[in-house]
Amino acid sequence: MSSYTEPADRPDAWAAMAAELAAAGRSTAEIAAALWVDEPTVINLLLPTGGAA
């Protein structure tokens, strides 16, 4: 099974993953490393609008 996420679906998928990692107590730096994004992106993903921002 592939974990490929279509480009159009990535913001919502990343927001969900970031929320799960944050709920597990991960720091923004740890979430950024896990998602291969920078910390400002993680902060944006964790906003109420999530990946839709």
Side-chain angles (χ1 to χ4, degrees):
M1 178 177 204
S2 174
S3 62
Y4 180 78
T5 303
E6 293 291 332
D9 297 331
R10 289 177 188 166
D12 290 336
W14 288 341
M17 288 186 275
E20 288 176 19
L21 292 168
R26 296 278 190 91
S27 70
T28 55
E30 292 170 321
I31 296 168
L35 298 181
W36 289 77
V37 299
D38 59 16
E39 286 186 73
T41 299
V42 171
I43 293 166
N44 187 46
L45 290 170
L46 293 173
L47 292 173
T49 56

